């Protein structure tokens, strides 16, 4: 979309993210601030994912922060899935963590499924890991069903495990 304008009419400067973040906080709460933050975070995620991650962490909990985390995870995981995984692993339990872990698992599985699987195996066995392993397994099944098959037993949730098994079986039958 069109980059948002600062309240004074100028556009955000990609070389001055601090000024852009400051301007975002000066906007009144509402749709304009949300759209501005979304554009800002997308741009920051492309040029400086760690800085975008730090900014997102400073946002208040809620839908805006959740969607901002998603934007950062998608961009950062494409280029540095290990650093992205380390960041999202620090999140408190909850929907944001579940979603972020699954997105990292899926993105990382596309570039290095073996390392992604090793990272997932090191996570605490909980619902978030089950969701991430399920996303990973379904992503990997299309290219390497034998690798995906080996990960289904790591999914503790019976329903998620069954869905993953079916995805692996379908992929294996196609090869």
């Amino acid at each position: 979309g069109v980059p948002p304008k600062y309240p004074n009419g100028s556009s955000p400067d990609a070389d001055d993210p601090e000024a852009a973040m400051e301007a975002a906080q000066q906007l009144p709460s509402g749709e304009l601030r949300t759209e501005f933050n979304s554009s800002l975070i997308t741009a920051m995620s492309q040029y400086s994912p760690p800085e975008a991650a730090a900014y997102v962490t400073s946002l208040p909990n809620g839908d805006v922060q959740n969607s901002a985390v998603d934007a950062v995870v998608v961009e950062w995981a494409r280029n540095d899935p290990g650093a992205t995984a380390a960041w999202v692993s620090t999140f408190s339990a909850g929907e944001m963590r579940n979603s972020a872990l699954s997105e990292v698992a899926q993105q990382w599985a596309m570039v290095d499924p073996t390392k992604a699987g090793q990272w997932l195996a090191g996570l605490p066995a909980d619902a978030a890991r089950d969701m991430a392993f399920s996303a990973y397994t379904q992503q990997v099944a299309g290219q390497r069903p034998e690798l995906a098959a080996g990960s289904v037993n790591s999914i503790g949730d019976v329903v998620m495990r069954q869905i993953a098994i079916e995805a692996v079986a379908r992929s294996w039958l196609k090869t």
Side-chain angles (χ1 to χ4, degrees), residues 17-160:
E18 291 82 16
M21 290 184 279
E22 171 97 14
Q25 298 314 311
Q26 301 306 316
L27 293 170
S29 293
E31 191 175 332
L32 177 63
R33 182 189 231 178
T34 300
E35 287 177 23
F36 189 94
N37 269 320
S38 177
S39 295
L40 175 62
I41 291 160
T42 298
M44 288 175 66
S45 296
Q46 292 169 354
Y47 301 106
S48 179
E51 197 168 5
Y55 178 63
V56 164
T57 305
S58 75
L59 294 173
N61 292 341
D63 291 341
V64 172
Q65 186 185 47
N66 290 348
S67 66
V69 165
D70 288 343
V72 173
V73 168
V74 167
E75 288 296 327
W76 199 2
R78 288 180 188 158
N79 299 309
D80 192 348
T84 313
W87 177 55
V88 302
S89 294
T90 66
F91 292 178
S92 300
E95 183 181 325
M96 185 172 74
R97 181 174 187 267
N98 295 355
S99 175
L101 288 173
S102 292
E103 186 63 41
V104 171
Q106 203 168 21
Q107 294 289 331
W108 202 347
M110 286 189 250
V111 289
D112 191 341
T114 302
K115 283 196 178 177
Q118 291 167 347
W119 165 68
L120 285 167
L123 293 175
D126 61 10
R129 184 179 106 156
D130 283 351
M131 290 174 65
F133 250 123
S134 179
Y136 163 86
T137 301
Q138 291 180 51
Q139 179 65 43
V140 172
Q143 299 88 20
R144 299 191 45 203
E146 74 288 350
L147 182 61
S151 70
V152 295
N153 286 332
S154 299
I155 302 170
D157 181 271
V158 175
V159 173
M160 282 189 222

